[in-house]
Amino acid sequence: MKMKRLLPILLFLITTSIFAQQNRGDRHKKIKVLKIAFITEKLDLTEDEAQKFWPIYNAFDERTSKIKFQDIRKIRYELRRDIETLSEEKANNLLNRFIEAENKLHNEKVQLVEKLRNVISAEKIILLKSAEEDFNKKMLEQYQKRRQQRMKKDRP
């Protein structure tokens, strides 16, 4: 049982040092592998559950990533680019697009839950949300730690 808990953490620590040396595409792949290991361990999926769960979750993850990286990123870029000269009309347009993208994300999450109800227990669906939050928190902590280390190196 302890080994099962240590596996994601060990993978995390090993790949952290690798991240600094790899390009962005490889980082995304490594993060995805870590996320899969982390979620698998947290949910304690049976083989049958895992075979049904992962195609549903991966499709969800792909759709939400597109929304985040195509729609929301574009809106934030436009906002930063035009913040000083933003008209009321343009601001309303950006807000409407942002609300639409957020609604898409919400709808994807609702659909995920509905699909997963036929595959895993409600308890495991709740655990999934917790595991995703824990994973994101750990990733942010690792990012901040690496950033602080780089800042220390750059100081004279």
Side-chain angles (χ1 to χ4, degrees):
M1 189 61 116
K2 280 188 177 183
M3 185 57 144
K4 206 173 188 184
R5 289 183 183 163
L6 290 176
L7 178 64
I9 295 168
L10 184 60
L11 284 170
F12 226 158
L13 295 174
I14 291 170
T15 57
T16 300
S17 62
I18 295 171
F19 283 156
Q21 301 168 3
Q22 296 178 329
N23 68 34
R24 190 176 187 140
D26 287 344
R27 284 188 210 156
H28 287 295
K29 290 176 188 172
K30 291 285 186 182
I31 291 170
K32 188 169 184 167
V33 168
L34 289 172
K35 187 176 182 180
I36 288 169
F38 192 84
I39 289 172
T40 298
E41 189 269 329
K42 290 287 186 178
L43 297 186
D44 194 26
L45 297 171
T46 66
E47 189 175 327
D48 184 52
E49 287 173 331
Q51 287 177 348
K52 294 174 183 172
F53 172 84
W54 285 111
I56 294 169
Y57 187 82
N58 288 336
F60 159 80
D61 194 46
E62 188 175 315
R63 288 189 306 270
T64 57
S65 290
K66 282 182 182 178
I67 295 167
K68 290 174 188 174
F69 292 108
Q70 289 176 359
D71 299 346
I72 294 176
R73 182 185 279 173
K74 186 183 287 186
I75 294 165
R76 287 185 176 147
Y77 171 77
E78 288 179 45
L79 180 61
R80 280 192 293 270
R81 184 190 66 200
D82 300 335
I83 193 74
E84 298 297 325
T85 60
L86 200 59
S87 68
E88 187 66 17
E89 182 181 349
K90 177 75 173 178
N92 274 314
N93 178 275
L94 288 172
L95 275 175
N96 289 337
R97 288 173 45 209
F98 185 75
I99 290 168
E100 183 180 331
E102 287 291 328
N103 282 335
K104 285 182 193 176
L105 284 175
H106 174 74
N107 290 336
E108 289 295 336
K109 290 175 186 178
V110 170
Q111 288 177 14
L112 174 68
V113 170
E114 292 304 320
K115 289 176 182 177
L116 289 179
R117 281 186 168 165
N118 299 319
V119 174
I120 59 176
S121 68
E123 181 182 0
K124 286 185 179 182
I125 294 171
I126 298 295
L127 287 174
L128 171 62
K129 179 66 176 159
S130 175
E132 288 174 321
E133 289 172 359
D134 290 349
F135 181 80
N136 290 338
K137 183 179 176 185
K138 287 182 186 294
M139 290 302 297
L140 181 60
E141 288 169 357
Q142 289 294 321
Y143 171 76
Q144 289 172 336
K145 191 181 292 183
R146 284 195 327 268
R147 187 173 180 215
Q148 288 173 350
Q149 289 171 348
R150 274 186 271 146
M151 288 174 68
K152 285 180 184 178
K153 277 185 180 180
D154 293 342
R155 289 185 186 158

